[in-house]
Amino acid sequence: MGIKILKTSSYVPGEPIDNSYYVSYLDTSDEWIRQRTGIETRYISKDEGTETMSVKAAEKLELTDEEKARIKVVLVATTTSTSTVPINACILQGALGLSEDIYACDIGMACAGFVAALRMADALLKEGELALVVGVEVLSKMSDKTDRSTVILFGDGAGAVLIEKNDKESYFEGGSRYSEVLASKLLPMTGDVEYLTMDGAAVFRFALEVMNASMNNLLERSGNSYDEIDWYILHQANKRILEGTARKFGVSPDRFPMNMNKYGNTSSASIPLLLDELNRAGKLKRGQKMIMAGFGGGLTWQAVYLEW
Ligand code: UT7
């Protein structure tokens, strides 16, 4: 048994901020940002936190009373939670009026968080039950406005999916690695604001390495060739990572859809934001084969093969 995604939705705060905003006060250029990352705009929250945005995204799923009654698992993937307690998943439970006999949990696995939550849903769900899985971030709150190497990358947003068990197998791959070099600063959970730092070039190399290995394992385990996968839905960190992976697999870049040009890098939210965009555009067809993969802080990576 595996998992099937029944519905998707998403929410982004405010108006898009384009590259010219950063060019106005930092030593950077629109050309550098577009060429090195693929990012043109991103959405930055003024006053909405993870708890508000996850509720707004989930409400857009337009859950019926029958669906709400069947929800037994609520998972919120985030590394930028507005509150430590109450957790986002319980806030969501309350906002949607879900029953108390559910497993509600926040998952902090950075950019691998959404796929990690799918993996947890796969393990927890029983036949006939539904899981609500959300990826949500306000990375802008952790970005140093004066650091051109990070602030231009990150955006805020939320994506939600409704999941059930089905009789098609889903396969998961993943791992984690601690690196003192890459974890250049420990971010505290509470207290004064601390900013995220990143050795971008090293994370870039790590991403190519783990994407390649975990996707190859998924292809082997699911008995598919590169060409048989309809969609490679990867974390939207940098267009060059996706283009490099497509090249390595010898697959058309059209099968690696991208929307980091609009949203920037939204960590846990990037995969569900992209899923929702493709779904609403009518591009995802039932039975299509899909690999989703997230990679990032920690370091962590998670990938899944499933049928739409
Ligand atoms: O989401 C979770 C995981 N994160 C990722 O996957 C991020 C992966 N990494 C990346 O996407 C890229 O490494 C970055 C976009 C972060 C950086 O691109 P890069 O091509 O790896 O650049 P770099 O860090 O090697 O820096 C090259 C140059 C440096 O200048 P010097 O030392 O060569 O003079 C940087 O100071 O580019 C400079 N630079 C900039 N220049 C203009 C860094 N940021 C900027 C900027 N504008 N915004």
Side-chain angles (χ1 to χ4, degrees):
M1 300 255 302
I3 50 169
K4 179 179 177 185
I5 297 177
L6 300 171
K7 286 181 170 182
T8 64
S9 64
S10 58
Y11 172 79
V12 285
E15 297 298 318
I17 308 285
D18 65 27
N19 292 340
S20 63
Y21 169 71
Y22 301 97
V23 176
S24 72
Y25 75 96
L26 286 172
D27 180 15
T28 187
S29 67
D30 178 48
E31 192 189 11
W32 192 96
I33 300 172
R34 280 173 196 258
Q35 283 184 357
R36 304 307 294 170
T37 71
I39 298 167
E40 295 165 21
T41 61
R42 73 289 285 146
Y43 291 78
I44 303 295
S45 167
K46 281 201 178 75
D47 48 18
E48 291 177 297
T50 53
E51 80 296 4
T52 313
M53 293 201 294
S54 46
V55 169
K56 286 190 174 174
E59 281 173 349
K60 288 167 86 178
L61 286 172
E62 297 181 345
L63 298 170
T64 63
D65 288 343
E66 189 265 342
E67 285 168 339
K68 285 184 184 177
R70 285 170 60 203
I71 291 178
K72 298 296 169 202
V73 176
V74 177
L75 302 171
V76 178
T78 184
T79 25
T80 52
S81 185
T82 307
S83 64
T84 310
V85 179
I87 62 168
N88 293 276
C90 284
I91 294 172
L92 199 48
Q93 172 187 20
L96 298 177
L98 304 178
S99 64
E100 290 192 352
D101 60 336
I102 65 169
Y103 183 101
C105 172
D106 285 3
I107 297 168
M109 217 195 266
C111 312
F114 179 74
V115 182
L118 296 184
R119 190 170 190 167
M120 206 184 261
D122 180 56
L124 290 167
L125 271 184
K126 298 193 185 81
E127 225 176 321
E129 297 177 348
L130 298 176
L132 170 61
V133 175
V134 176
V136 57
E137 302 286 0
V138 276
L139 282 160
S140 60
K141 300 277 178 288
M142 276 166 48
S143 304
D144 178 351
K145 310 285 175 288
T146 63
D147 178 5
R148 67 175 183 176
S149 67
T150 51
V151 72
I152 52 120
L153 300 173
F154 298 116
D156 304 334
V161 296
L162 186 68
I163 291 172
E164 73 175 357
K165 276 282 190 191
N166 74 353
D167 53 8
K168 302 273 170 52
E169 202 64 46
S170 308
Y171 299 92
F172 290 88
E173 286 283 326
S176 45
R177 179 188 304 169
Y178 178 67
S179 157
E180 273 186 41
V181 179
L182 296 181
S184 50
K185 192 190 232 177
L186 296 176
L187 290 175
M189 290 286 284
T190 55
D192 294 339
V193 174
E194 291 278 344
Y195 297 122
L196 183 151
T197 60
M198 178 172 68
D199 181 343
V203 178
F204 192 103
R205 287 192 296 276
F206 149 80
L208 288 175
E209 175 208 326
V210 298
M211 284 301 91
N212 194 31
S214 47
M215 297 210 295
N216 269 319
N217 288 345
L218 287 178
L219 292 173
E220 196 180 315
R221 288 175 59 204
S222 64
N224 286 290
S225 66
Y226 299 137
D227 246 0
E228 286 173 298
I229 303 298
D230 298 287
W231 298 105
Y232 291 89
I233 306 210
L234 306 196
H235 168 47
Q236 302 288 296
N238 187 314
K239 73 167 181 181
R240 291 183 294 130
I241 295 176
L242 275 65
E243 286 168 354
T245 309
R247 241 189 337 267
K248 178 117 189 155
F249 279 19
V251 170
S252 160
D254 294 348
R255 296 200 196 179
F256 285 70
M258 298 186 206
N259 65 2
M260 81 281 287
N261 59 320
K262 285 188 242 171
Y263 302 112
N265 178 345
T266 56
S267 191
S268 299
S270 84
I271 292 175
L273 274 170
L274 180 57
L275 266 182
D276 188 45
E277 187 168 301
L278 295 169
N279 194 23
R280 280 176 200 275
K283 293 188 176 169
L284 306 179
K285 311 280 181 223
R286 290 291 165 201
Q288 283 186 329
K289 297 175 176 181
M290 181 182 286
I291 283 180
M292 289 184 252
F295 50 86
L299 302 162
T300 56
W301 62 101
Q302 290 290 317
V304 59
Y305 162 87
L306 51 80
E307 286 189 26
W308 183 251

